[in-house]
Coordinates of all heavy atoms in Angstrom, one line a residue:
M27 N 14.0 9.5 -1.3 CA 13.6 10.6 -1.9 C 13.3 11.6 -0.6 O 12.7 11.3 0.3 CB 12.2 10.5 -2.6 CG 11.8 11.6 -3.6 SD 10.5 11.0 -4.6 CE 11.1 11.5 -6.1
S28 N 13.8 12.8 -0.8 CA 13.8 13.8 0.3 C 12.4 14.5 0.4 O 11.6 14.3 -0.6 CB 14.8 14.9 0.0 OG 14.3 15.8 -1.0
N29 N 12.1 15.0 1.6 CA 10.8 15.6 1.8 C 10.5 16.8 0.8 O 9.4 17.0 0.4 CB 10.7 16.1 3.2 CG 9.8 15.3 4.0 OD1 9.5 14.1 3.7 ND2 9.5 15.8 5.2
Q30 N 11.5 17.4 0.4 CA 11.4 18.6 -0.5 C 11.0 18.1 -1.8 O 10.1 18.6 -2.5 CB 12.8 19.4 -0.6 CG 12.7 20.6 -1.4 CD 14.0 21.4 -1.6 OE1 14.9 20.9 -1.0 NE2 13.9 22.5 -2.0
E31 N 11.6 16.9 -2.2 CA 11.2 16.4 -3.7 C 9.8 15.9 -3.6 O 9.1 16.0 -4.6 CB 12.2 15.2 -3.9 CG 13.6 15.7 -4.3 CD 14.6 14.5 -4.3 OE1 14.5 13.6 -3.7 OE2 15.4 14.7 -5.2
L32 N 9.4 15.3 -2.5 CA 8.0 14.7 -2.3 C 7.0 15.9 -2.4 O 6.0 15.8 -2.9 CB 8.0 14.0 -1.1 CG 8.6 12.5 -1.0 CD1 8.6 12.0 0.4 CD2 8.0 11.6 -1.9
R33 N 7.4 17.0 -1.6 CA 6.5 18.1 -1.6 C 6.3 18.8 -3.0 O 5.3 19.1 -3.4 CB 7.1 19.3 -0.7 CG 6.7 19.0 0.7 CD 7.0 20.1 1.6 NE 8.3 20.8 1.6 CZ 9.3 20.3 2.4 NH1 8.9 19.4 3.5 NH2 10.5 20.8 2.5
K34 N 7.5 18.7 -3.8 CA 7.3 19.3 -5.2 C 6.4 18.5 -6.0 O 5.5 18.9 -6.8 CB 8.7 19.2 -5.8 CG 9.6 20.6 -5.5 CD 10.8 20.4 -6.2 CE 11.8 21.5 -5.9 NZ 13.1 21.5 -6.5
E35 N 6.6 17.1 -5.8 CA 5.7 16.2 -6.5 C 4.3 16.2 -6.1 O 3.3 16.1 -7.0 CB 6.3 14.8 -6.4 CG 6.0 13.8 -7.5 CD 6.7 12.5 -7.3 OE1 7.9 12.5 -7.1 OE2 6.0 11.4 -7.3
A36 N 4.0 16.5 -4.9 CA 2.7 16.5 -4.3 C 1.8 17.9 -4.8 O 0.7 17.9 -4.7 CB 2.7 16.4 -2.9
H37 N 2.6 18.8 -5.2 CA 2.0 20.1 -5.5 C 0.9 20.0 -6.5 O -0.2 20.6 -6.4 CB 3.1 21.1 -6.0 CG 2.5 22.4 -6.4 ND1 2.2 23.3 -5.5 CD2 2.3 23.1 -7.6 CE1 1.7 24.4 -6.0 NE2 1.7 24.3 -7.3
D38 N 1.0 19.2 -7.5 CA 0.0 19.2 -8.6 C -1.0 18.0 -8.4 O -1.9 17.8 -9.3 CB 0.6 19.0 -9.9 CG 1.5 20.1 -10.4 OD1 1.1 21.2 -9.9 OD2 2.4 20.0 -11.1
L39 N -0.8 17.2 -7.2 CA -1.8 16.3 -7.1 C -3.2 16.8 -6.7 O -3.3 17.8 -6.1 CB -1.3 15.3 -5.8 CG -0.3 14.4 -6.0 CD1 0.0 13.7 -4.6 CD2 -0.7 13.3 -6.9
D40 N -4.3 16.1 -7.0 CA -5.5 16.4 -6.6 C -5.8 15.6 -5.2 O -5.3 14.7 -4.9 CB -6.6 15.9 -7.6 CG -6.5 16.7 -8.9 OD1 -6.2 17.9 -8.8 OD2 -6.8 16.1 -9.9
V41 N -6.8 16.1 -4.5 CA -7.1 15.7 -3.2 C -8.0 14.3 -3.5 O -9.0 14.4 -4.3 CB -8.1 16.6 -2.3 CG1 -8.6 15.8 -1.2 CG2 -7.2 17.7 -1.9
T42 N -7.6 13.2 -3.0 CA -8.5 12.0 -3.2 C -9.1 11.5 -2.0 O -9.9 10.4 -2.2 CB -7.5 11.0 -3.8 OG1 -6.4 10.6 -3.0 CG2 -7.0 11.3 -5.2
V43 N -8.8 11.9 -0.7 CA -9.5 11.5 0.4 C -10.0 12.8 1.2 O -9.2 13.7 1.4 CB -8.5 10.6 1.3 CG1 -9.2 10.4 2.7 CG2 -7.9 9.5 0.6
W44 N -11.2 12.8 1.6 CA -11.7 13.8 2.4 C -12.1 13.4 3.8 O -12.9 12.3 3.8 CB -13.0 14.4 1.8 CG -12.7 15.2 0.5 CD1 -12.5 16.6 0.4 CD2 -12.5 14.7 -0.8 NE1 -12.3 16.9 -0.9 CE2 -12.2 15.8 -1.6 CE3 -12.5 13.4 -1.4 CZ2 -12.0 15.6 -3.0 CZ3 -12.3 13.3 -2.7 CH2 -12.0 14.4 -3.5
V45 N -11.6 14.0 4.8 CA -12.0 13.7 6.1 C -13.1 14.6 6.6 O -12.9 15.8 6.6 CB -10.9 13.7 7.0 CG1 -11.2 13.4 8.6 CG2 -9.8 12.9 6.7
G46 N -14.3 14.1 6.9 CA -15.4 14.9 7.3 C -15.9 14.7 8.7 O -15.1 14.2 9.6
K47 N -17.2 14.8 9.0 CA -17.7 14.7 10.4 C -17.6 13.4 11.1 O -17.6 13.2 12.2 CB -19.1 15.2 10.4 CG -20.1 14.4 9.7 CD -21.5 15.0 9.7 CE -22.6 14.2 9.0 NZ -23.7 14.8 8.9
S48 N -17.4 12.4 10.2 CA -17.2 11.0 10.7 C -15.7 10.8 11.3 O -15.6 9.7 11.8 CB -17.4 9.9 9.6 OG -18.7 10.0 9.2
G49 N -14.9 11.6 11.1 CA -13.5 11.6 11.6 C -12.6 10.8 10.8 O -12.8 10.2 9.8
I50 N -11.4 10.7 11.2 CA -10.3 9.9 10.6 C -10.5 8.4 10.5 O -10.1 7.7 9.7 CB -8.9 10.2 11.2 CG1 -8.8 9.8 12.6 CG2 -8.6 11.6 11.0 CD1 -7.4 10.0 13.1
G51 N -11.3 7.8 11.4 CA -11.6 6.4 11.5 C -12.3 6.0 10.4 O -12.1 4.8 9.8
A52 N -13.0 6.8 9.6 CA -13.9 6.5 8.5 C -13.0 6.5 7.2 O -13.5 5.8 6.3 CB -15.0 7.5 8.3
V53 N -11.8 7.0 7.2 CA -11.0 7.0 6.0 C -9.7 6.2 6.1 O -9.0 6.1 5.1 CB -10.7 8.6 5.6 CG1 -11.9 9.2 5.4 CG2 -9.8 9.2 6.7
T54 N -9.4 5.6 7.3 CA -8.2 5.0 7.4 C -7.9 3.9 6.4 O -6.8 3.7 5.7 CB -7.9 4.4 8.9 OG1 -9.0 3.5 9.2 CG2 -7.7 5.5 9.8
E55 N -8.9 3.0 6.3 CA -8.8 1.9 5.2 C -8.7 2.4 3.8 O -7.9 1.9 3.1 CB -10.0 1.0 5.3 CG -10.0 0.1 6.5 CD -8.8 -0.7 6.7 OE1 -8.3 -1.4 5.6 OE2 -8.2 -0.9 7.7
E56 N -9.4 3.5 3.5 CA -9.2 4.1 2.1 C -7.9 4.6 1.9 O -7.2 4.4 0.9 CB -10.4 5.2 1.9 CG -10.2 5.8 0.6 CD -10.5 4.9 -0.6 OE1 -11.1 3.9 -0.5 OE2 -10.0 5.3 -1.7
L57 N -7.4 5.3 2.8 CA -6.1 5.9 2.8 C -5.0 4.8 2.6 O -4.0 4.9 1.8 CB -5.7 6.8 3.9 CG -4.3 7.5 3.8 CD1 -4.2 8.3 2.6 CD2 -4.1 8.5 5.1
K58 N -5.2 3.7 3.5 CA -4.2 2.6 3.3 C -4.1 2.0 2.0 O -3.1 1.7 1.4 CB -4.6 1.5 4.4 CG -4.1 1.8 5.8 CD -4.5 0.6 6.7 CE -4.3 0.9 8.0 NZ -4.9 -0.3 9.0
N59 N -5.3 1.9 1.4 CA -5.5 1.3 0.0 C -4.9 2.2 -1.0 O -4.1 1.7 -1.9 CB -7.0 1.0 -0.3 CG -7.6 -0.1 0.5 OD1 -6.8 -1.0 1.0 ND2 -8.9 -0.1 0.6
Q60 N -5.1 3.5 -1.0 CA -4.6 4.4 -1.9 C -2.9 4.5 -1.8 O -2.4 4.5 -2.8 CB -5.1 5.8 -1.8 CG -6.5 5.8 -2.1 CD -7.1 7.2 -2.3 OE1 -6.4 8.2 -2.4 NE2 -8.4 7.4 -2.2
L61 N -2.5 4.4 -0.6 CA -1.0 4.4 -0.4 C -0.4 3.1 -0.9 O 0.8 3.2 -1.3 CB -0.6 4.6 1.1 CG -0.8 6.1 1.7 CD1 -0.8 6.1 3.1 CD2 0.2 7.0 0.9
Q62 N -1.2 2.0 -1.0 CA -0.5 0.9 -1.6 C -0.3 1.0 -3.1 O 0.5 0.4 -3.7 CB -1.4 -0.4 -1.2 CG -1.3 -0.9 0.2 CD -2.3 -2.0 0.4 OE1 -3.1 -2.4 -0.4 NE2 -2.1 -2.6 1.6
N63 N -1.3 1.8 -3.7 CA -1.3 1.9 -5.2 C -0.6 3.2 -5.6 O -0.1 3.2 -6.8 CB -2.7 1.9 -5.6 CG -3.4 0.6 -5.3 OD1 -2.9 -0.4 -5.5 ND2 -4.7 0.7 -5.0
E64 N -0.5 4.2 -4.7 CA 0.2 5.4 -5.1 C 1.3 5.8 -4.1 O 1.3 5.4 -3.1 CB -0.9 6.7 -4.9 CG -2.1 6.3 -5.9 CD -1.9 6.5 -7.4 OE1 -0.9 7.1 -7.8 OE2 -2.6 5.7 -8.1
K65 N 2.3 6.7 -4.7 CA 3.5 7.0 -3.8 C 3.0 8.1 -2.9 O 3.5 8.1 -1.7 CB 4.5 7.6 -4.8 CG 5.8 7.9 -4.0 CD 7.0 8.1 -4.8 CE 6.8 9.0 -6.0 NZ 8.0 9.3 -6.6
L66 N 2.1 9.0 -3.4 CA 1.7 10.2 -2.6 C 0.2 10.2 -2.6 O -0.4 10.1 -3.7 CB 2.2 11.5 -3.1 CG 3.7 11.6 -3.1 CD1 4.2 12.8 -3.8 CD2 4.2 11.7 -1.6
V67 N -0.5 10.5 -1.5 CA -1.9 10.8 -1.4 C -2.1 12.1 -0.6 O -1.5 12.4 0.4 CB -2.6 9.6 -0.7 CG1 -4.1 9.9 -0.5 CG2 -2.3 8.3 -1.5
K68 N -3.1 12.9 -1.2 CA -3.4 14.2 -0.6 C -4.8 14.0 0.1 O -5.8 13.5 -0.6 CB -3.5 15.3 -1.7 CG -3.4 16.6 -1.2 CD -3.3 17.7 -2.3 CE -2.0 18.1 -2.7 NZ -2.0 19.3 -3.6
V69 N -4.8 14.5 1.2 CA -6.0 14.3 2.2 C -6.5 15.8 2.5 O -5.6 16.5 3.1 CB -5.7 13.6 3.4 CG1 -6.9 13.4 4.3 CG2 -5.2 12.2 3.0
K70 N -7.8 16.1 2.5 CA -8.3 17.3 2.8 C -9.2 17.1 4.2 O -10.0 16.2 4.2 CB -9.2 18.0 1.8 CG -9.9 19.2 2.2 CD -9.6 20.2 1.3 CE -10.3 21.6 1.7 NZ -9.8 22.6 1.0
F71 N -8.9 17.9 5.2 CA -9.7 17.9 6.3 C -10.7 18.9 6.4 O -10.4 20.2 6.5 CB -8.7 18.1 7.7 CG -7.8 16.9 7.8 CD1 -6.6 17.1 7.2 CD2 -8.1 15.8 8.6 CE1 -5.6 16.0 7.2 CE2 -7.2 14.8 8.6 CZ -5.9 14.9 8.0
L72 N -12.0 18.6 6.3 CA -13.1 19.5 6.2 C -13.3 20.1 7.6 O -13.0 19.6 8.7 CB -14.3 18.8 5.7 CG -14.2 18.1 4.4 CD1 -15.4 17.3 4.0 CD2 -13.9 19.2 3.3
R73 N -14.0 21.3 7.7 CA -14.2 21.9 8.9 C -15.0 21.0 10.1 O -14.6 21.0 11.2 CB -15.2 23.1 8.7 CG -15.4 24.0 9.9 CD -16.2 25.3 9.6 NE -15.6 26.1 8.6 CZ -16.4 26.6 7.6 NH1 -17.6 26.2 7.5 NH2 -15.8 27.3 6.7
A74 N -15.9 20.1 9.6 CA -16.6 19.3 10.5 C -15.7 18.3 11.1 O -16.0 17.9 12.2 CB -17.7 18.5 9.7
A75 N -14.6 17.9 10.5 CA -13.6 16.9 11.1 C -12.8 17.6 12.0 O -12.3 17.0 13.0 CB -12.8 16.4 10.0
R76 N -12.5 18.8 11.8 CA -11.4 19.5 12.8 C -12.0 19.8 14.0 O -11.3 19.7 15.0 CB -10.9 20.9 12.1 CG -10.1 20.5 10.8 CD -9.4 21.8 10.3 NE -10.2 22.9 10.2 CZ -10.9 23.2 9.0 NH1 -10.9 22.4 7.9 NH2 -11.5 24.3 8.9
G77 N -13.3 20.2 14.2 CA -13.9 20.6 15.5 C -12.9 21.5 16.3 O -12.7 22.6 15.9
G78 N -12.4 21.0 17.5 CA -11.6 21.8 18.3 C -10.1 21.6 18.1 O -9.2 22.2 18.7
T79 N -9.8 20.7 17.2 CA -8.3 20.3 17.0 C -7.9 20.9 15.6 O -8.5 21.4 14.8 CB -8.1 18.8 16.9 OG1 -8.9 18.3 15.8 CG2 -8.7 18.2 18.2
S80 N -6.5 21.0 15.6 CA -5.8 21.6 14.5 C -5.7 20.6 13.4 O -5.7 19.4 13.7 CB -4.6 22.2 14.8 OG -3.6 21.3 15.1
T81 N -5.5 21.1 12.1 CA -5.2 20.1 11.1 C -3.9 19.4 11.2 O -3.9 18.2 10.9 CB -5.2 21.0 9.7 OG1 -6.4 21.6 9.5 CG2 -4.9 20.0 8.5
D82 N -3.0 20.0 11.8 CA -1.6 19.5 12.1 C -1.8 18.1 13.0 O -1.3 17.2 12.7 CB -0.7 20.3 12.7 CG -0.2 21.4 11.6 OD1 -0.3 21.1 10.4 OD2 0.2 22.5 12.1
E83 N -2.6 18.3 14.0 CA -2.8 17.2 15.0 C -3.6 16.1 14.4 O -3.2 15.0 14.5 CB -3.6 17.8 16.3 CG -2.9 18.8 17.2 CD -3.8 19.4 18.2 OE1 -4.9 19.4 18.0 OE2 -3.3 20.0 19.2
L84 N -4.6 16.4 13.6 CA -5.4 15.4 12.9 C -4.4 14.6 12.0 O -4.6 13.5 11.8 CB -6.6 15.9 12.2 CG -7.8 16.4 13.1 CD1 -8.9 17.1 12.3 CD2 -8.4 15.1 13.9
A85 N -3.6 15.4 11.2 CA -2.8 14.8 10.2 C -1.8 13.8 10.8 O -1.5 12.8 10.2 CB -2.1 15.9 9.4
E86 N -1.2 14.2 11.9 CA -0.2 13.4 12.7 C -1.0 12.1 13.1 O -0.5 11.0 13.0 CB 0.3 14.1 13.9 CG 1.5 15.1 13.5 CD 2.7 14.3 13.0 OE1 3.0 13.2 13.4 OE2 3.5 15.0 12.3
E87 N -2.2 12.3 13.7 CA -3.0 11.1 14.3 C -3.3 10.2 13.1 O -3.2 8.9 13.2 CB -4.2 11.6 14.8 CG -4.9 10.6 15.6 CD -6.2 11.2 16.3 OE1 -6.1 12.4 16.7 OE2 -7.1 10.4 16.5
L88 N -3.7 10.6 11.9 CA -4.0 9.8 10.8 C -2.7 9.2 10.3 O -2.7 7.9 9.9 CB -4.6 10.6 9.7 CG -5.1 9.9 8.5 CD1 -6.0 8.8 8.7 CD2 -5.7 10.8 7.5
A89 N -1.6 9.8 10.2 CA -0.3 9.2 9.7 C 0.0 8.0 10.7 O 0.4 7.0 10.2 CB 0.7 10.2 9.8
N90 N -0.2 8.2 12.0 CA 0.1 7.1 12.9 C -0.9 6.0 12.7 O -0.4 4.7 12.8 CB -0.1 7.6 14.3 CG 1.1 8.5 14.6 OD1 2.1 8.4 14.1 ND2 0.9 9.4 15.6
E91 N -2.1 6.2 12.4 CA -3.1 5.2 12.3 C -2.9 4.4 11.0 O -3.0 3.1 11.1 CB -4.5 5.8 12.0 CG -5.2 6.4 13.2 CD -5.8 5.3 14.1 OE1 -6.3 4.4 13.7 OE2 -5.7 5.6 15.4
V92 N -2.3 5.0 10.0 CA -2.1 4.1 8.8 C -0.6 3.7 8.5 O -0.3 3.2 7.4 CB -2.7 4.9 7.5 CG1 -4.0 5.1 7.6 CG2 -2.0 6.2 7.2
N93 N 0.2 4.1 9.4 CA 1.7 3.9 9.3 C 2.3 4.5 8.1 O 3.0 3.9 7.3 CB 1.8 2.3 9.3 CG 2.7 1.8 10.5 OD1 3.1 2.6 11.4 ND2 2.8 0.6 10.5
A94 N 1.9 5.8 8.0 CA 2.5 6.5 6.8 C 3.3 7.7 7.3 O 3.4 8.1 8.4 CB 1.3 7.0 6.0
Q95 N 4.1 8.2 6.2 CA 5.0 9.3 6.5 C 4.1 10.6 6.2 O 3.6 10.7 5.0 CB 6.2 9.3 5.7 CG 7.0 10.6 5.9 CD 8.2 10.6 4.8 OE1 8.4 9.6 4.1 NE2 8.8 11.8 4.8
L96 N 4.0 11.5 7.1 CA 3.4 12.7 6.8 C 4.5 13.7 6.1 O 5.4 14.1 6.7 CB 2.8 13.4 8.1 CG 2.2 14.8 7.9 CD1 1.0 14.7 7.0 CD2 1.7 15.3 9.3
V97 N 4.3 14.0 4.8 CA 5.1 14.8 4.2 C 5.0 16.2 4.4 O 6.1 17.0 4.7 CB 5.0 14.5 2.6 CG1 5.9 15.5 1.8 CG2 5.1 13.1 2.3
E98 N 3.8 16.8 4.3 CA 3.6 18.1 4.8 C 2.1 18.4 5.0 O 1.1 17.6 4.6 CB 4.0 19.2 3.7 CG 3.2 19.1 2.5 CD 3.5 20.4 1.6 OE1 4.0 21.4 2.0 OE2 3.3 20.1 0.3
T99 N 1.7 19.5 5.8 CA 0.4 20.0 5.9 C 0.4 21.4 5.4 O 1.4 22.1 5.7 CB -0.1 19.9 7.4 OG1 0.8 20.5 8.3 CG2 -0.3 18.5 7.8
R100 N -0.6 21.8 4.7 CA -0.7 23.1 4.2 C -2.2 23.5 4.4 O -2.9 22.9 3.7 CB -0.2 23.3 2.8 CG -0.2 24.6 2.4 CD 0.5 24.9 1.0 NE 2.0 24.7 1.3 CZ 2.8 24.6 0.3 NH1 2.5 24.7 -1.0 NH2 4.1 24.4 0.6
G101 N -2.5 24.6 5.1 CA -3.9 24.8 5.3 C -4.6 23.7 5.9 O -4.3 23.2 7.0
N102 N -5.6 23.3 5.2 CA -6.4 22.1 5.7 C -6.2 20.7 4.9 O -6.9 19.9 4.9 CB -8.0 22.4 5.6 CG -8.2 23.6 6.5 OD1 -7.9 23.8 7.7 ND2 -9.1 24.5 5.9
T103 N -5.0 20.8 4.3 CA -4.7 19.6 3.5 C -3.3 19.0 4.0 O -2.5 19.7 4.3 CB -4.4 20.2 2.0 OG1 -5.7 20.8 1.6 CG2 -4.3 18.9 1.0
A104 N -3.2 17.6 3.8 CA -2.1 17.0 4.2 C -1.7 16.1 3.1 O -2.5 15.5 2.4 CB -2.3 16.2 5.5
V105 N -0.4 15.8 3.0 CA 0.2 14.9 1.9 C 0.9 13.7 2.8 O 1.7 13.9 3.7 CB 1.2 15.5 1.1 CG1 1.8 14.6 0.0 CG2 0.4 16.6 0.3
Y106 N 0.6 12.5 2.3 CA 1.2 11.3 3.0 C 2.0 10.5 1.9 O 1.6 10.5 0.8 CB 0.0 10.4 3.4 CG -0.8 11.1 4.6 CD1 -1.9 11.7 4.4 CD2 -0.3 10.9 5.9 CE1 -2.6 12.4 5.4 CE2 -1.0 11.6 6.9 CZ -2.1 12.2 6.7 OH -2.8 12.9 7.8
H107 N 3.0 9.9 2.4 CA 3.8 9.0 1.6 C 3.9 7.6 2.3 O 4.1 7.5 3.5 CB 5.2 9.6 1.6 CG 6.2 8.7 0.7 ND1 6.1 8.4 -0.5 CD2 7.4 8.2 1.3 CE1 7.2 7.7 -0.9 NE2 8.0 7.5 0.2

């Protein structure tokens, strides 16, 4: 499935994982579990999680942690496959 098709499918998804002040380490297991059950998972990076880094950097780091494909980032939200 192409990235464009995945992005279209992700458009109507609700956010199911929120990254807060505890950082990405606190949500890696939850994201792994959700990715086993779902094709796409939408993650929101709250202001407290971002600190001095960008959402894109955090999204890439989280993708590497859980061995997932980062489909897209838009604003403070990322979609993983």
Side-chain angles (χ1 to χ4, degrees):
M27 199 170 229
S28 75
N29 257 10
Q30 184 177 7
E31 292 170 324
L32 290 171
R33 281 195 298 269
K34 280 183 184 177
E35 205 170 307
H37 180 73
D38 294 328
L39 281 180
D40 291 328
V41 173
T42 55
V43 177
W44 289 265
V45 180
K47 64 183 175 184
S48 298
I50 62 173
V53 300
T54 54
E55 285 304 314
E56 177 62 27
L57 182 56
K58 282 180 188 176
N59 291 339
Q60 287 191 26
L61 283 168
Q62 286 177 351
N63 299 322
E64 305 292 332
K65 182 165 54 170
L66 295 169
V67 177
K68 199 177 265 190
V69 177
K70 175 125 183 166
F71 294 89
L72 303 175
R73 185 181 302 131
R76 292 191 310 270
T79 60
S80 73
T81 300
D82 290 334
E83 291 170 338
L84 285 173
E86 281 289 335
E87 191 177 331
L88 184 55
N90 292 335
E91 288 281 326
V92 298
N93 244 357
Q95 175 191 351
L96 177 61
V97 177
E98 76 170 329
T99 56
R100 182 173 292 173
N102 299 318
T103 306
V105 177
Y106 294 93
H107 174 63

